Amino acid sequence: MNLPAIAAALAAAVFFALAATLQHHAAYHEVVHRLLDVRLLWRLLHHRLWVGGQFIDLIGLGLHITALHIGTLVLVQPVMISGLLLSVPMEAALDRRRPRRRDLTGVALATAGLAAFLVAADPSAGTSRPTGTAWFVSGGVVGLAVAGLLVLSHRTRRGPLSGACVGLATGALYGFSAALLKTCADLLTTDPLSLPLHWQMYALLGTSAIGMQLNQSAFQHSSLASPLTAMTLGEPLVSVIIGLSAFHELIRTSPPRLAVIFGGAIVMSYGIWRTSTTQRPPASA
């Protein structure tokens, strides 16, 4: 187990959790906008709380890049879920209330399921630069998944289930961005002058921008636990799939380990369900 990569990923998760709490507080109490409406980001730029969350996000991003550089995609991305355990009490403290038991149970189950997966999978490194075909297939699958989730969110309208759908879509985009980030980080350390010549850098900027917009839209739908749990689990799920298929990273596949991995997936799914059924009255402008 790569302990330095896990430590960097854990630290990044804490900063990301704090940033998400601040951004959610600002977005949830903002005027409701449609998905991909850039006016939401423009309004949030005038919130000091939201801007402060962005600075904290940058610190987490630096730690995230460090973790991806020294660790595998399959290892680093699942560890990022640990910030969920802090997000719910952080949100409650900001709202000056007690954490909801259902939210706490949901994020605890999701985190436990992921921990079981991480121990059982015991991932090992692969390549740092996938082929063009692997990128094309991965991007196509992620794009179709994001589109389907956004359609489902539109049909379910505003609420925790809709927030979970947008959160999953955001997590899928962030998972693909993490794969791009891993390749860009490798280029930055081995041949930094050539980085602007590679399409991965521009794809990373584009997917990150769309992901940020969807992220804030998801925060407008419900309390923090539902969209953030779906987002935080969707990101490692997509990262694991891309890591195994495009980066040729490996996980242990003995029958006992597969049983633990499967059980962890069920527990994580149940955690998402619990947070997506927590009701909270919609905020007014």
Side-chain angles (χ1 to χ4, degrees):
M1 193 69 71
N2 191 334
L3 294 180
I6 293 177
L10 284 172
V14 172
F15 279 97
F16 283 149
L18 179 57
T21 304
L22 298 176
Q23 291 167 21
H24 173 268
H25 190 81
Y28 187 81
H29 294 90
E30 184 54 76
V31 176
V32 178
H33 291 74
R34 294 179 180 272
L35 291 174
L36 301 178
D37 188 341
V38 295
R39 289 178 298 177
L40 173 59
L41 283 179
W42 174 252
R43 293 179 68 92
L44 289 174
L45 282 171
H46 296 82
H47 282 268
R48 287 181 295 178
L49 202 65
W50 189 85
V51 173
Q54 290 299 309
F55 281 110
I56 295 173
D57 226 357
L58 288 176
I59 299 174
L61 179 61
L63 291 166
H64 191 188
I65 293 174
T66 301
L68 285 171
H69 178 61
I70 61 179
T72 65
L73 192 65
V74 176
L75 172 65
V76 170
Q77 290 308 109
V79 175
M80 300 298 294
I81 193 180
S82 59
L84 272 177
L85 289 173
L86 294 175
S87 64
V88 172
M90 283 180 180
E91 180 200 23
L94 200 59
D95 290 343
R96 298 180 180 179
R97 59 171 175 80
R98 292 183 178 181
R100 295 181 180 85
R101 182 178 299 179
R102 191 175 187 85
D103 287 345
L104 286 173
T105 304
V107 297
L109 288 172
T111 305
L114 184 57
F117 163 82
L118 184 60
V119 172
D122 192 17
S124 58
T127 181
S128 59
R129 301 182 189 180
T131 63
T133 302
W135 279 122
F136 179 78
V137 173
S138 300
V141 172
V142 169
L144 289 175
V146 169
L149 287 166
L150 294 182
V151 170
L152 182 59
S153 170
H154 179 71
R155 291 183 177 180
T156 55
R157 298 185 179 182
R158 197 163 180 252
L161 181 58
S162 179
C165 290
V166 181
L168 278 174
T170 307
L173 271 180
Y174 281 164
F176 187 67
S177 297
L180 293 168
L181 181 61
K182 182 172 178 61
T183 295
C184 290
D186 179 72
L187 289 169
L188 188 62
T189 55
T190 56
D191 191 9
L193 295 180
S194 70
L195 182 59
L197 303 178
H198 291 267
W199 64 267
Q200 286 91 340
M201 186 185 78
Y202 305 101
L204 174 61
L205 295 175
T207 54
S208 298
I210 298 174
M212 178 183 290
Q213 175 68 47
L214 290 179
N215 189 344
Q216 307 312 313
S217 295
F219 285 164
Q220 289 204 302
H221 285 255
S222 63
S223 61
L224 180 61
S226 175
L228 187 60
T229 301
M231 190 186 310
T232 310
L233 291 180
E235 183 175 352
L237 176 62
V238 171
S239 295
V240 166
I241 294 174
I242 295 177
L244 295 175
S245 59
F247 286 81
H248 302 295
E249 297 176 354
L250 301 174
I251 61 174
R252 306 281 184 174
T253 56
S254 64
R257 290 180 181 272
L258 287 176
V260 175
I261 291 173
F262 182 71
I266 294 177
V267 173
M268 284 189 285
S269 300
Y270 181 67
I272 290 181
W273 175 81
R274 284 190 67 88
T275 58
S276 67
T277 53
T278 300
Q279 297 297 325
R280 175 177 175 175
S284 57

Coordinates of all heavy atoms in Angstrom, one line a residue, residues 193-273:
L193 N 7.6 21.4 -21.0 CA 7.5 22.3 -22.2 C 6.5 21.8 -23.2 O 6.0 22.5 -24.0 CB 8.8 22.6 -22.8 CG 9.8 23.4 -21.9 CD1 11.2 23.6 -22.6 CD2 9.2 24.7 -21.5
S194 N 6.3 20.5 -23.2 CA 5.5 19.8 -24.3 C 4.0 19.8 -23.8 O 3.1 19.4 -24.6 CB 6.0 18.4 -24.6 OG 5.7 17.6 -23.5
L195 N 3.7 20.1 -22.6 CA 2.3 20.0 -22.1 C 1.3 20.8 -22.9 O 0.3 20.3 -23.2 CB 2.3 20.4 -20.6 CG 0.9 20.3 -19.9 CD1 0.4 18.9 -20.0 CD2 1.0 20.8 -18.5
P196 N 1.6 22.1 -23.3 CA 0.6 22.8 -24.1 C 0.4 22.2 -25.5 O -0.6 22.6 -26.2 CB 1.3 24.2 -24.3 CG 2.2 24.3 -23.1 CD 2.7 22.9 -22.9
L197 N 1.2 21.3 -25.9 CA 1.1 20.6 -27.2 C 0.2 19.4 -27.2 O -0.2 18.8 -28.2 CB 2.4 20.2 -27.8 CG 3.5 21.4 -27.9 CD1 4.8 20.8 -28.5 CD2 2.9 22.5 -28.9
H198 N -0.2 19.0 -26.0 CA -1.1 17.8 -25.8 C -2.5 18.2 -25.6 O -2.8 19.1 -24.8 CB -0.5 17.0 -24.7 CG 0.8 16.3 -24.9 ND1 0.9 15.1 -25.4 CD2 2.1 16.8 -24.7 CE1 2.2 14.8 -25.6 NE2 2.9 15.8 -25.1
W199 N -3.4 17.5 -26.3 CA -4.8 17.8 -26.1 C -5.4 17.5 -24.8 O -6.4 18.1 -24.4 CB -5.6 17.0 -27.2 CG -5.6 15.5 -26.9 CD1 -4.7 14.6 -27.5 CD2 -6.4 14.7 -26.1 NE1 -4.9 13.3 -27.0 CE2 -6.0 13.4 -26.2 CE3 -7.5 15.1 -25.3 CZ2 -6.6 12.4 -25.4 CZ3 -8.1 14.0 -24.6 CH2 -7.7 12.7 -24.7
Q200 N -4.7 16.7 -24.0 CA -5.3 16.3 -22.7 C -5.4 17.6 -21.7 O -6.3 17.6 -20.9 CB -4.3 15.3 -22.0 CG -4.5 13.9 -22.6 CD -3.5 13.6 -23.7 OE1 -3.0 14.6 -24.3 NE2 -3.3 12.4 -24.0
M201 N -4.5 18.5 -21.9 CA -4.5 19.7 -21.1 C -5.8 20.5 -21.3 O -6.5 21.0 -20.4 CB -3.3 20.6 -21.3 CG -3.2 21.8 -20.3 SD -1.8 22.9 -20.7 CE -2.5 23.8 -22.1
Y202 N -6.1 20.7 -22.6 CA -7.3 21.5 -23.0 C -8.6 20.7 -22.6 O -9.6 21.3 -22.2 CB -7.3 21.8 -24.4 CG -6.0 22.5 -24.8 CD1 -4.9 21.8 -25.4 CD2 -5.8 23.9 -24.4 CE1 -3.7 22.5 -25.7 CE2 -4.6 24.5 -24.7 CZ -3.6 23.8 -25.3 OH -2.4 24.5 -25.6
A203 N -8.6 19.4 -22.8 CA -9.7 18.6 -22.4 C -9.9 18.6 -20.9 O -11.1 18.7 -20.4 CB -9.5 17.1 -22.8
L204 N -8.8 18.7 -20.1 CA -8.9 18.8 -18.7 C -9.6 20.1 -18.3 O -10.5 20.2 -17.4 CB -7.5 18.7 -18.1 CG -7.4 19.0 -16.6 CD1 -8.3 18.0 -15.8 CD2 -6.0 18.9 -16.1
L205 N -9.2 21.2 -18.9 CA -9.8 22.5 -18.6 C -11.3 22.6 -19.0 O -12.1 23.1 -18.2 CB -9.0 23.6 -19.4 CG -7.6 23.8 -19.1 CD1 -6.9 24.9 -20.0 CD2 -7.4 24.3 -17.6
G206 N -11.6 22.0 -20.1 CA -13.0 21.9 -20.5 C -13.9 21.1 -19.6 O -15.0 21.6 -19.1
T207 N -13.5 19.9 -19.3 CA -14.3 19.0 -18.4 C -14.4 19.6 -17.0 O -15.4 19.5 -16.3 CB -13.7 17.6 -18.4 OG1 -12.3 17.7 -18.0 CG2 -13.9 16.9 -19.7
S208 N -13.3 20.2 -16.5 CA -13.3 20.8 -15.2 C -14.3 22.0 -15.1 O -15.0 22.2 -14.1 CB -11.9 21.3 -14.8 OG -11.0 20.2 -14.8
A209 N -14.3 22.8 -16.2 CA -15.2 23.9 -16.2 C -16.7 23.5 -16.2 O -17.5 24.0 -15.4 CB -15.0 24.8 -17.4
I210 N -17.0 22.5 -17.0 CA -18.4 21.9 -17.0 C -18.7 21.3 -15.7 O -19.8 21.4 -15.2 CB -18.6 20.9 -18.2 CG1 -18.3 21.7 -19.5 CG2 -20.0 20.3 -18.2 CD1 -18.3 20.7 -20.7
G211 N -17.8 20.6 -15.2 CA -18.0 19.9 -13.9 C -18.2 20.9 -12.8 O -19.1 20.7 -11.9
M212 N -17.5 22.0 -12.8 CA -17.8 23.1 -11.8 C -19.2 23.6 -11.9 O -19.8 23.9 -10.8 CB -16.7 24.2 -11.9 CG -16.9 25.3 -10.9 SD -15.8 26.7 -11.1 CE -14.3 25.9 -10.5
Q213 N -19.6 23.9 -13.1 CA -21.0 24.4 -13.3 C -22.0 23.4 -12.7 O -23.0 23.8 -12.0 CB -21.2 24.7 -14.8 CG -22.7 25.1 -15.1 CD -23.0 26.4 -14.5 OE1 -22.3 27.4 -14.7 NE2 -24.2 26.5 -13.9
L214 N -21.9 22.1 -13.1 CA -22.8 21.1 -12.6 C -22.7 20.9 -11.1 O -23.7 20.7 -10.5 CB -22.5 19.8 -13.3 CG -22.8 19.7 -14.8 CD1 -22.5 18.3 -15.4 CD2 -24.3 19.9 -15.1
N215 N -21.5 21.1 -10.6 CA -21.3 21.0 -9.1 C -22.2 22.0 -8.4 O -22.9 21.6 -7.5 CB -19.8 21.2 -8.8 CG -19.5 20.9 -7.4 OD1 -20.3 20.8 -6.6 ND2 -18.2 20.8 -7.1
Q216 N -22.1 23.2 -8.8 CA -22.9 24.3 -8.1 C -24.4 24.1 -8.4 O -25.2 24.3 -7.5 CB -22.5 25.7 -8.6 CG -21.0 25.9 -8.5 CD -20.4 25.5 -7.1 OE1 -21.0 25.9 -6.1 NE2 -19.3 24.8 -7.1
S217 N -24.8 23.6 -9.5 CA -26.2 23.3 -9.8 C -26.7 22.2 -8.9 O -27.8 22.2 -8.4 CB -26.4 22.9 -11.3 OG -26.1 24.0 -12.1
A218 N -25.9 21.2 -8.7 CA -26.3 20.1 -7.8 C -26.5 20.6 -6.4 O -27.4 20.1 -5.7 CB -25.2 19.0 -7.8
F219 N -25.7 21.5 -5.9 CA -25.8 22.1 -4.6 C -27.1 22.8 -4.4 O -27.5 23.1 -3.3 CB -24.6 23.0 -4.3 CG -23.3 22.2 -4.0 CD1 -22.1 22.9 -4.1 CD2 -23.3 20.9 -3.8 CE1 -20.9 22.2 -3.8 CE2 -22.2 20.2 -3.5 CZ -20.9 20.8 -3.5
Q220 N -27.7 23.3 -5.5 CA -29.0 24.0 -5.3 C -30.2 23.1 -5.1 O -31.3 23.6 -4.8 CB -29.2 24.9 -6.6 CG -28.3 26.1 -6.7 CD -28.9 27.2 -7.6 OE1 -29.2 27.0 -8.7 NE2 -29.0 28.4 -7.0
H221 N -30.0 21.8 -5.3 CA -31.2 20.9 -5.3 C -31.6 20.5 -3.9 O -32.8 20.3 -3.6 CB -30.9 19.7 -6.1 CG -31.0 20.0 -7.6 ND1 -32.0 19.6 -8.4 CD2 -30.1 20.6 -8.4 CE1 -31.8 20.0 -9.6 NE2 -30.7 20.6 -9.7
S222 N -30.6 20.3 -3.0 CA -31.0 19.7 -1.7 C -29.9 20.0 -0.7 O -29.0 20.8 -1.0 CB -31.2 18.2 -1.8 OG -30.0 17.6 -2.2
S223 N -30.0 19.4 0.5 CA -28.9 19.5 1.5 C -27.6 18.9 0.9 O -27.6 18.2 -0.1 CB -29.3 18.8 2.8 OG -29.5 17.4 2.5
L224 N -26.5 19.1 1.5 CA -25.2 18.8 1.0 C -25.0 17.3 0.9 O -24.3 16.8 -0.1 CB -24.1 19.4 1.9 CG -22.6 19.1 1.5 CD1 -22.3 19.7 0.1 CD2 -21.7 19.7 2.6
A225 N -25.5 16.5 1.8 CA -25.2 15.1 1.8 C -25.6 14.3 0.5 O -24.8 13.5 0.0 CB -25.9 14.4 3.0
S226 N -26.7 14.6 -0.1 CA -27.2 13.9 -1.2 C -26.3 14.1 -2.5 O -25.8 13.2 -3.0 CB -28.7 14.3 -1.5 OG -29.1 13.7 -2.7
P227 N -26.1 15.4 -2.9 CA -25.3 15.6 -4.1 C -23.8 15.2 -3.9 O -23.2 14.7 -4.8 CB -25.5 17.0 -4.5 CG -25.9 17.7 -3.2 CD -26.7 16.7 -2.5
L228 N -23.3 15.6 -2.7 CA -21.9 15.3 -2.4 C -21.6 13.9 -2.3 O -20.5 13.4 -2.8 CB -21.5 16.1 -1.2 CG -19.9 16.1 -0.9 CD1 -19.2 16.7 -2.0 CD2 -19.6 16.8 0.4
T229 N -22.5 13.1 -1.7 CA -22.2 11.6 -1.6 C -22.2 11.0 -3.0 O -21.3 10.2 -3.3 CB -23.3 11.0 -0.7 OG1 -23.3 11.5 0.6 CG2 -23.1 9.5 -0.6
A230 N -23.2 11.4 -3.8 CA -23.3 10.8 -5.2 C -22.1 11.3 -6.0 O -21.5 10.5 -6.7 CB -24.6 11.3 -5.8
M231 N -21.7 12.5 -5.8 CA -20.5 13.1 -6.5 C -19.2 12.4 -6.1 O -18.4 12.0 -7.0 CB -20.4 14.6 -6.3 CG -19.5 15.3 -7.2 SD -19.3 17.1 -6.6 CE -21.1 17.5 -6.5
T232 N -19.0 12.2 -4.8 CA -17.8 11.7 -4.3 C -17.7 10.2 -4.6 O -16.5 9.7 -4.8 CB -17.7 11.9 -2.8 OG1 -18.0 13.3 -2.5 CG2 -16.3 11.6 -2.3
L233 N -18.8 9.5 -4.7 CA -18.7 8.1 -5.1 C -18.7 7.9 -6.6 O -18.0 7.0 -7.1 CB -19.9 7.3 -4.5 CG -20.0 7.2 -3.0 CD1 -21.2 6.4 -2.6 CD2 -18.7 6.4 -2.5
G234 N -19.3 8.8 -7.3 CA -19.3 8.7 -8.8 C -17.9 8.9 -9.3 O -17.5 8.2 -10.3
E235 N -17.2 9.8 -8.7 CA -15.8 10.1 -9.2 C -14.9 8.9 -9.1 O -14.2 8.5 -10.1 CB -15.2 11.3 -8.5 CG -13.9 11.7 -8.9 CD -13.4 13.0 -8.3 OE1 -14.1 13.6 -7.5 OE2 -12.2 13.3 -8.5
P236 N -14.8 8.2 -7.9 CA -13.9 7.1 -7.9 C -14.4 5.9 -8.7 O -13.6 5.1 -9.2 CB -13.8 6.7 -6.4 CG -15.0 7.3 -5.8 CD -15.3 8.6 -6.6
L237 N -15.7 5.8 -8.8 CA -16.2 4.7 -9.7 C -15.8 4.8 -11.1 O -15.3 3.8 -11.7 CB -17.8 4.6 -9.6 CG -18.5 3.6 -10.5 CD1 -18.1 2.2 -10.1 CD2 -20.0 3.8 -10.4
V238 N -15.9 6.0 -11.6 CA -15.5 6.2 -13.0 C -14.0 6.1 -13.1 O -13.4 5.6 -14.1 CB -16.0 7.6 -13.5 CG1 -15.3 8.0 -14.8 CG2 -17.5 7.6 -13.6
S239 N -13.3 6.6 -12.1 CA -11.8 6.6 -12.1 C -11.3 5.1 -12.1 O -10.3 4.8 -12.8 CB -11.2 7.3 -10.9 OG -11.5 8.7 -11.0
V240 N -12.0 4.3 -11.3 CA -11.6 2.9 -11.2 C -11.8 2.2 -12.6 O -10.9 1.5 -13.1 CB -12.4 2.1 -10.1 CG1 -12.2 0.6 -10.3 CG2 -11.9 2.6 -8.8
I241 N -12.9 2.5 -13.2 CA -13.2 1.9 -14.5 C -12.2 2.3 -15.6 O -11.6 1.5 -16.3 CB -14.6 2.2 -15.0 CG1 -15.6 1.6 -14.0 CG2 -14.9 1.8 -16.4 CD1 -17.1 2.0 -14.3
I242 N -11.9 3.6 -15.6 CA -10.9 4.2 -16.5 C -9.5 3.6 -16.2 O -8.7 3.3 -17.1 CB -10.9 5.7 -16.6 CG1 -12.2 6.2 -17.1 CG2 -9.8 6.2 -17.4 CD1 -12.4 7.7 -17.1
G243 N -9.2 3.6 -14.9 CA -7.9 3.1 -14.5 C -7.6 1.6 -14.9 O -6.6 1.3 -15.4
L244 N -8.7 0.8 -14.8 CA -8.5 -0.6 -15.2 C -8.5 -0.8 -16.7 O -7.8 -1.6 -17.2 CB -9.7 -1.4 -14.6 CG -9.7 -1.5 -13.1 CD1 -11.0 -2.3 -12.6 CD2 -8.5 -2.2 -12.5
S245 N -9.3 0.0 -17.4 CA -9.5 -0.2 -18.9 C -8.5 0.6 -19.7 O -7.9 0.0 -20.6 CB -10.9 0.2 -19.3 OG -11.2 1.5 -19.0
A246 N -8.2 1.9 -19.3 CA -7.4 2.7 -20.1 C -5.9 2.7 -19.6 O -5.0 2.7 -20.4 CB -7.9 4.1 -20.2
F247 N -5.8 2.8 -18.3 CA -4.4 2.9 -17.7 C -3.8 1.5 -17.4 O -2.7 1.4 -17.0 CB -4.4 3.7 -16.5 CG -4.6 5.2 -16.7 CD1 -5.8 5.7 -16.9 CD2 -3.5 6.0 -16.7 CE1 -6.0 7.1 -17.1 CE2 -3.6 7.4 -16.9 CZ -4.9 7.9 -17.1
H248 N -4.6 0.5 -17.6 CA -4.2 -0.9 -17.4 C -3.7 -1.1 -16.0 O -2.7 -1.9 -15.7 CB -3.1 -1.3 -18.4 CG -3.5 -1.2 -19.8 ND1 -4.5 -2.0 -20.4 CD2 -3.1 -0.4 -20.8 CE1 -4.7 -1.6 -21.6 NE2 -3.9 -0.7 -21.9
E249 N -4.3 -0.4 -15.0 CA -4.0 -0.7 -13.6 C -4.7 -2.0 -13.2 O -5.7 -2.4 -13.8 CB -4.5 0.5 -12.7 CG -3.8 1.8 -13.1 CD -4.3 3.0 -12.3 OE1 -5.3 2.8 -11.6 OE2 -3.7 4.0 -12.4
L250 N -4.2 -2.7 -12.2 CA -4.7 -4.0 -11.8 C -5.2 -4.0 -10.4 O -4.7 -3.2 -9.5 CB -3.5 -5.0 -11.9 CG -2.9 -5.2 -13.3 CD1 -1.7 -6.1 -13.2 CD2 -3.9 -5.7 -14.3
I251 N -6.2 -4.8 -10.1 CA -6.7 -5.0 -8.8 C -6.7 -6.5 -8.5 O -6.7 -7.4 -9.4 CB -8.1 -4.5 -8.5 CG1 -9.1 -5.1 -9.5 CG2 -8.1 -3.0 -8.7 CD1 -10.5 -4.8 -9.2
R252 N -6.7 -6.9 -7.2 CA -6.7 -8.3 -6.9 C -8.1 -8.9 -7.2 O -9.1 -8.3 -6.9 CB -6.4 -8.5 -5.4 CG -5.1 -7.8 -4.9 CD -3.9 -8.7 -5.3 NE -2.7 -8.1 -4.7 CZ -1.5 -8.7 -4.8 NH1 -1.4 -9.9 -5.4 NH2 -0.4 -8.1 -4.3
T253 N -8.1 -10.1 -7.8 CA -9.4 -10.7 -8.2 C -9.6 -12.1 -7.7 O -10.4 -12.9 -8.3 CB -9.5 -10.7 -9.8 OG1 -8.4 -11.4 -10.3 CG2 -9.5 -9.3 -10.3
S254 N -9.1 -12.4 -6.5 CA -9.4 -13.7 -5.9 C -10.8 -13.7 -5.5 O -11.4 -12.6 -5.1 CB -8.4 -14.0 -4.8 OG -8.6 -13.0 -3.7
P255 N -11.5 -14.9 -5.4 CA -12.9 -14.9 -5.0 C -13.2 -14.2 -3.7 O -14.2 -13.5 -3.6 CB -13.2 -16.4 -4.9 CG -12.2 -17.0 -5.9 CD -11.0 -16.2 -5.8
P256 N -12.4 -14.4 -2.6 CA -12.7 -13.7 -1.3 C -12.7 -12.1 -1.5 O -13.5 -11.4 -1.0 CB -11.7 -14.1 -0.3 CG -11.2 -15.5 -0.9 CD -11.3 -15.3 -2.4
R257 N -11.7 -11.7 -2.3 CA -11.5 -10.2 -2.5 C -12.7 -9.7 -3.3 O -13.2 -8.6 -3.1 CB -10.2 -9.9 -3.1 CG -9.0 -10.1 -2.2 CD -7.7 -9.8 -2.9 NE -6.5 -10.0 -2.1 CZ -6.0 -9.1 -1.3 NH1 -6.6 -7.9 -1.2 NH2 -5.0 -9.4 -0.5
L258 N -13.1 -10.5 -4.4 CA -14.2 -10.0 -5.2 C -15.5 -10.0 -4.4 O -16.3 -9.1 -4.6 CB -14.4 -11.0 -6.4 CG -13.3 -10.9 -7.5 CD1 -13.6 -12.0 -8.5 CD2 -13.4 -9.5 -8.1
A259 N -15.6 -10.9 -3.4 CA -16.8 -10.9 -2.6 C -16.9 -9.6 -1.7 O -17.9 -9.0 -1.6 CB -16.9 -12.1 -1.7
V260 N -15.7 -9.2 -1.2 CA -15.6 -8.0 -0.4 C -15.9 -6.7 -1.3 O -16.6 -5.8 -0.9 CB -14.3 -7.9 0.3 CG1 -14.1 -6.5 1.0 CG2 -14.1 -9.0 1.3
I261 N -15.3 -6.7 -2.5 CA -15.5 -5.6 -3.4 C -17.0 -5.5 -3.7 O -17.5 -4.4 -3.7 CB -14.7 -5.8 -4.7 CG1 -13.2 -5.7 -4.3 CG2 -15.1 -4.8 -5.7 CD1 -12.3 -6.0 -5.5
F262 N -17.6 -6.6 -4.0 CA -19.1 -6.6 -4.4 C -19.9 -6.1 -3.2 O -20.8 -5.3 -3.3 CB -19.5 -8.0 -4.8 CG -21.0 -8.1 -5.2 CD1 -21.4 -7.5 -6.4 CD2 -21.9 -8.7 -4.4 CE1 -22.7 -7.5 -6.8 CE2 -23.2 -8.8 -4.8 CZ -23.6 -8.2 -6.0
G263 N -19.5 -6.6 -2.0 CA -20.3 -6.2 -0.8 C -20.1 -4.7 -0.5 O -21.0 -4.0 -0.1
G264 N -18.8 -4.2 -0.7 CA -18.6 -2.8 -0.5 C -19.4 -1.9 -1.5 O -19.9 -0.9 -1.1
A265 N -19.6 -2.4 -2.7 CA -20.4 -1.7 -3.7 C -21.8 -1.6 -3.3 O -22.5 -0.5 -3.4 CB -20.3 -2.3 -5.1
I266 N -22.3 -2.7 -2.7 CA -23.7 -2.7 -2.2 C -23.9 -1.7 -1.1 O -24.9 -0.9 -1.0 CB -24.1 -4.1 -1.8 CG1 -24.2 -5.0 -3.0 CG2 -25.5 -4.1 -1.1 CD1 -24.5 -6.5 -2.6
V267 N -22.9 -1.7 -0.1 CA -23.0 -0.8 1.0 C -22.9 0.7 0.5 O -23.7 1.6 1.0 CB -21.9 -1.1 2.0 CG1 -21.9 0.0 3.1 CG2 -22.1 -2.5 2.6
M268 N -22.0 1.0 -0.4 CA -21.9 2.3 -1.0 C -23.2 2.8 -1.6 O -23.7 3.9 -1.5 CB -20.8 2.4 -2.0 CG -19.4 2.4 -1.3 SD -18.1 2.8 -2.5 CE -17.9 1.2 -3.3
S269 N -23.8 1.9 -2.4 CA -25.1 2.2 -3.0 C -26.2 2.5 -2.0 O -27.0 3.4 -2.2 CB -25.6 1.0 -3.9 OG -24.6 0.7 -4.9
Y270 N -26.2 1.7 -1.0 CA -27.2 1.9 0.1 C -27.0 3.3 0.8 O -27.9 4.0 1.1 CB -27.2 0.8 1.1 CG -28.2 1.0 2.2 CD1 -29.6 0.9 2.0 CD2 -27.8 1.2 3.5 CE1 -30.5 1.0 3.0 CE2 -28.7 1.3 4.6 CZ -30.1 1.2 4.3 OH -31.0 1.4 5.3
G271 N -25.7 3.6 0.9 CA -25.4 4.9 1.5 C -25.9 6.1 0.7 O -26.5 7.1 1.2
I272 N -25.7 6.0 -0.7 CA -26.2 7.0 -1.6 C -27.8 7.1 -1.5 O -28.3 8.2 -1.4 CB -25.8 6.7 -3.0 CG1 -24.3 6.9 -3.2 CG2 -26.6 7.6 -4.0 CD1 -23.9 6.6 -4.7
W273 N -28.4 5.9 -1.4 CA -29.9 5.9 -1.3 C -30.4 6.6 -0.1 O -31.3 7.4 -0.1 CB -30.4 4.5 -1.3 CG -31.9 4.4 -1.1 CD1 -32.9 4.6 -2.1 CD2 -32.6 4.1 0.1 NE1 -34.1 4.5 -1.5 CE2 -34.0 4.2 -0.2 CE3 -32.1 3.9 1.4 CZ2 -34.9 4.0 0.8 CZ3 -33.1 3.7 2.4 CH2 -34.4 3.7 2.1

